[in-house]
Amino acid sequence: MPRLRAHGTREGLRRYRMKAMIPWLVLAAAVAMWVFGLATTNSEVLSDFGLLRELPPVWYGAVGIAVALCAWGVVARKGPSNWLMSASVTSLVVMLYATAGLLADAPRFPWTYKHIAVTNLIAATGHVDPAIDIYNRWPGFFSLSALLGEAMGYRNAIDYAAWAETGFALVDAVLVLAIVRTISSRARIYWTATVVFTLSNWVNQNYYAPQSFSYSLYLAMCLVALTFLRNAPTGWMIAFEGRLRKSRMLQKLGKQRPAAALAERWGQRPTFTQGLAVAAILALQVVIVVSHQLTPYIVVLGLFPLFLAGYFRPRWVGPALLIIALLYLVPNVEYIRSKYGLFSGFNLFANTGYKPPETESVVLGQWVLTGQTLSRLAVVLTLLTGLLAVAGFIRRLLGGQVRTTLVIAWLAFAPVLGLFAQSYGGEARFRVYLFALPWLSIGVAWLFWSGPVRSRKAAIGAAAALIAMAMLFTVVHFQPEADYRVSKNDVLASQWLDENVETGDIVFDSKSFFPLLIGPNYPHYLKWGSVASITDYLKAVKGDISMGSLRKYADHLRGAENNYIVMSDEQKRQAIEESGIDAYMLPKLEKVLAKGAGVENVFNNGTVRIYKFTRTG
């Protein structure tokens, strides 16, 4: 009866229960609206604005309600309800990260299909072949995926690859939530950090790929270290913390609290679990090392100094992480050096892919109203998250919370050091932000909730920041969908090619990201260089499009017995958008093929035609 006494009467208890049910009913309504929005979305033809124009108002309303519930949960005077926040954040993650995949009729991202192909190769043959490509030299993710697929009854990775984006997003959100809970017992902080992470992760690195898998393992490794291996740092680090805490600047700007109030959640952990934790971290590093080329070194950049400084014990684990990475690199170093290069130089700007701004004048109306301009809002979202996080780190330091702040700030900064060695094919800047994001999210949460009590100013600031991030993320995430979408008919054509093209044949296609590598026979296209560009042919013949010039060009390449020409409506669409030479040449070439002597139309599913001609003489 204590609850009845607390609310006075049975009628009061009934009203309390009804009031508590309102957020759950609102969330259920949002989920129903989201489902209805998906069912009424027609996304077959996408413009430069991607899904932004195609998604109906009810879909935006559903996402808005989910964001509002998350924001309301963290700023509410009584504090967040863990059950309601769990349901709200899960719903928000699914709404944002599953929408595009559910509206597509094939796995998104053209570059996903090469990963599907490697998995299918391993599933079909039962082994890897390091001579084929770099993926077979780092096969951890593909081998595990093939094993799990076989266990679940899916021998073709294309059957489950589309769910990777939502799955990794949910797993990563849970791991970030668990990480923050190890360093803060305040619900406002760990839920705010989780929501910020969800709304700021615009990099699109959750798809079916080794880097997505390795990133989740990296977060798991950090969780284990923060949960079981925390310890007092070495004497010289303690002295540095003391000097920082007593520095004149912090004393002058900050409101230092009494020593009793400075206790941080960084005490020494029980030693009976240390052995298991160390084994788990080393095992995770081994799996990461055999799965992805870059992630092990970002792990080392972040954790090695913290082990060395004693924040995590035993200290030898830091060097062990580096040794594991190097031991796997040594037998592959010559392959990496010859194919890609070990280092891109120490030019920070070049490795981030930075290009000086153009000096041409820009018409403001055109700049604002194009979809490509909207994609630049990713920079705004990145800067917003970074600036708020830095402000949060500073506020924590001013409050005397030095130790935890130094560790989290270092983990946020450490990935930047990787830019002094590698550009990673122009993707390094994305990886830097991605690996810094969990720790930046903590900094954002600290900015609003480091005070001893909830203030009105903090509540308004936190809610405004989350809403702004949600708006920016929605635009950045859904605008480029036309470039990420892969036609199901293109996939079917690629599967036909994989089953029928033999070693030594040549395949001509014009779309850069046509999913040609898709099945277990993809090595045919790599070992023999059997992929040729229609665009290169069109440029070489300078308008002389004929079967004679095409045969001559094919013989010049290698003189293959069988030559396949892929004509896809998607290729033509992209050529028109890019105003390339293909735009007006492809229809002419297809007419030549349709009437060409010795040419056979071997595949046609309505939007993709494949023509075949054999070598003469």
Side-chain angles (χ1 to χ4, degrees):
M1 299 294 292
R3 180 176 295 181
L4 181 61
R5 288 195 297 270
H7 295 280
T9 64
R10 293 185 180 276
E11 180 66 20
L13 179 60
R14 187 182 68 82
R15 290 179 180 178
Y16 169 78
R17 288 175 174 173
M18 289 296 297
K19 186 177 179 180
M21 285 296 295
I22 291 176
W24 289 97
L25 295 175
V26 171
L27 180 60
V31 173
M33 290 168 61
W34 175 71
V35 173
F36 178 76
L38 290 180
T40 55
T41 299
N42 182 5
S43 63
E44 291 184 3
V45 179
L46 298 177
S47 68
D48 195 31
F49 288 87
L51 285 172
L52 294 176
R53 283 180 173 174
E54 309 305 326
L55 291 167
V58 67
W59 183 92
Y60 287 101
V63 173
I65 291 173
V67 172
L69 281 174
C70 291
W72 175 78
V74 298
V75 305
R77 187 172 298 277
K78 292 183 179 180
S81 161
N82 284 335
W83 285 107
L84 179 61
M85 285 300 297
S86 297
S88 299
V89 173
T90 299
S91 300
L92 181 61
V93 171
V94 172
M95 288 179 184
L96 292 177
Y97 291 92
T99 290
L102 288 173
L103 292 175
D105 54 10
R108 298 165 70 234
F109 305 109
W111 43 90
T112 299
Y113 289 87
K114 58 186 177 183
H115 304 144
I116 292 172
V118 180
T119 304
N120 289 341
L121 171 67
I122 295 174
T125 64
H127 60 81
V128 299
D129 183 357
I132 295 176
D133 55 20
I134 193 170
Y135 298 113
N136 277 264
R137 289 174 176 265
W138 272 265
F141 166 74
F142 306 111
S143 299
L144 179 61
S145 181
L147 178 63
L148 293 177
E150 180 75 21
M152 295 185 297
Y154 295 105
R155 292 188 59 85
N156 191 337
I158 202 170
D159 295 331
Y160 54 84
W163 291 103
E165 187 176 5
T166 308
F168 281 125
L170 286 170
V171 168
D172 293 346
V174 171
L175 289 171
V176 169
L177 173 64
I179 285 172
V180 187
R181 293 195 67 167
T182 65
I183 60 176
S184 176
S185 59
R186 299 184 63 182
R188 294 189 201 277
I189 290 179
Y190 55 73
W191 281 118
T192 299
T194 305
V195 177
V196 169
F197 175 81
T198 297
L199 296 177
S200 298
N201 189 4
W202 59 266
V203 183
N204 273 320
Q205 290 293 315
N206 291 324
Y207 62 95
Y208 183 78
Q211 55 263 38
S212 307
F213 174 66
S214 299
Y215 182 69
S216 297
L217 296 185
Y218 160 76
L219 293 177
M221 183 184 297
C222 292
L223 174 61
V224 173
L226 287 164
T227 303
F228 300 107
L229 301 184
R230 292 207 306 259
N231 211 311
T234 57
W236 57 274
M237 279 304 304
I238 292 177
F240 173 75
E241 291 176 358
R243 284 193 293 269
L244 184 62
R245 189 176 289 113
K246 296 176 182 178
S247 66
R248 292 183 179 181
M249 182 179 67
L250 292 185
Q251 292 288 344
K252 183 178 180 180
L253 298 177
K255 296 179 181 179
Q256 297 288 344
R257 303 174 195 169
L262 292 176
E264 301 185 65
R265 291 170 61 92
W266 200 266
Q268 184 173 351
R269 292 295 174 170
T271 57
F272 68 88
T273 59
Q274 189 180 79
L276 291 176
V278 168
I281 285 180
L282 296 180
L284 287 169
Q285 177 71 336
V286 169
V287 178
I288 292 173
V289 162
V290 300
S291 298
H292 195 230
Q293 301 82 32
L294 180 65
T295 303
Y297 302 98
I298 297 183
V299 169
V300 171
L301 287 174
L303 295 182
F304 184 102
L306 296 178
F307 276 103
L308 192 65
Y311 286 106
F312 298 127
R313 302 288 178 107
R315 295 171 64 186
W316 60 263
V317 174
L321 295 176
L322 176 60
I323 291 171
I324 290 172
L326 293 178
L327 285 176
Y328 197 79
L329 176 64
V330 168
N332 293 289
V333 69
E334 182 57 30
Y335 181 89
I336 294 292
R337 188 196 61 78
S338 62
K339 296 285 186 179
Y340 308 98
L342 281 177
F343 298 102
S344 303
F346 295 97
N347 188 329
L348 178 65
F349 293 107
N351 287 343
T352 57
Y354 170 80
K355 295 180 179 179
E358 297 179 1
T359 56
E360 298 179 4
S361 60
V362 177
V363 178
L364 182 60
Q366 294 177 351
W367 189 85
V368 171
L369 297 177
T370 63
Q372 291 300 320
T373 300
L374 295 178
S375 66
R376 298 190 181 106
L377 292 178
V379 178
V380 178
L381 180 55
T382 301
L383 291 176
L384 175 63
T385 305
L387 291 174
L388 292 178
V390 171
F393 294 150
I394 294 174
R395 184 181 183 187
R396 284 274 295 186
L397 289 174
L398 294 177
Q401 305 287 319
V402 173
R403 180 168 298 173
T404 309
T405 308
L406 285 178
V407 172
I408 300 303
W410 169 255
L411 288 170
F413 171 76
V416 177
L417 299 178
L419 291 174
F420 288 98
Q422 257 288 351
S423 67
Y424 203 68
E427 295 185 9
R429 63 188 185 276
F430 303 123
R431 305 301 168 81
V432 166
Y433 176 71
L434 185 66
F435 280 89
L437 183 57
W439 321 109
L440 294 176
S441 301
I442 296 173
V444 175
W446 280 343
L447 173 64
F448 299 112
W449 309 122
S450 285
V453 295
R454 169 195 177 277
S455 68
R456 182 179 180 183
K457 185 184 296 185
I460 294 174
L466 294 179
I467 292 172
M469 288 176 177
M471 295 173 65
L472 289 168
F473 176 88
T474 301
V475 173
V476 173
H477 186 70
F478 293 105
Q479 179 273 325
E481 183 62 20
D483 296 328
Y484 297 157
R485 189 70 65 87
V486 178
S487 165
K488 184 177 182 179
N489 282 342
D490 281 7
V491 171
L492 294 174
S494 296
Q495 291 176 322
W496 185 91
L497 285 168
D498 183 81
E499 294 171 359
N500 291 274
V501 172
E502 298 180 355
T503 301
D505 294 345
I506 294 180
V507 177
F508 290 84
D509 76 299
S510 65
K511 186 168 181 264
S512 299
F513 289 123
F514 186 80
L516 191 58
L517 307 184
I518 196 171
N521 297 312
Y522 85 92
H524 290 347
Y525 307 126
L526 300 179
K527 288 185 176 181
W528 290 81
S530 294
V531 180
S533 169
I534 295 177
T535 305
D536 291 343
Y537 158 72
L538 296 175
K539 291 179 179 179
V541 299
K542 299 179 181 179
D544 178 24
I545 301 176
S546 65
M547 282 307 303
S549 66
L550 181 57
R551 288 183 181 278
K552 183 177 180 181
Y553 185 80
D555 290 342
H556 168 73
L557 292 179
R558 197 181 57 251
E561 181 66 28
N562 299 308
N563 299 271
Y564 296 88
I565 313 291
V566 180
M567 287 291 171
S568 166
D569 290 349
E570 178 65 17
Q571 293 178 342
K572 295 179 181 179
R573 181 197 65 79
Q574 182 176 350
I576 292 172
E577 287 185 357
E578 296 177 354
S579 301
I581 186 175
D582 300 13
Y584 58 93
M585 292 288 193
L586 282 176
K588 184 176 180 180
L589 174 59
E590 185 159 12
K591 289 181 180 179
V592 169
L593 290 168
K595 298 179 180 179
V599 180
E600 182 183 0
N601 183 193
V602 294
F603 180 89
N604 187 342
N605 63 12
T607 63
V608 184
R609 281 85 48 204
I610 300 177
Y611 298 89
K612 173 185 176 183
F613 65 89
T614 58
R615 183 174 54 188
T616 57

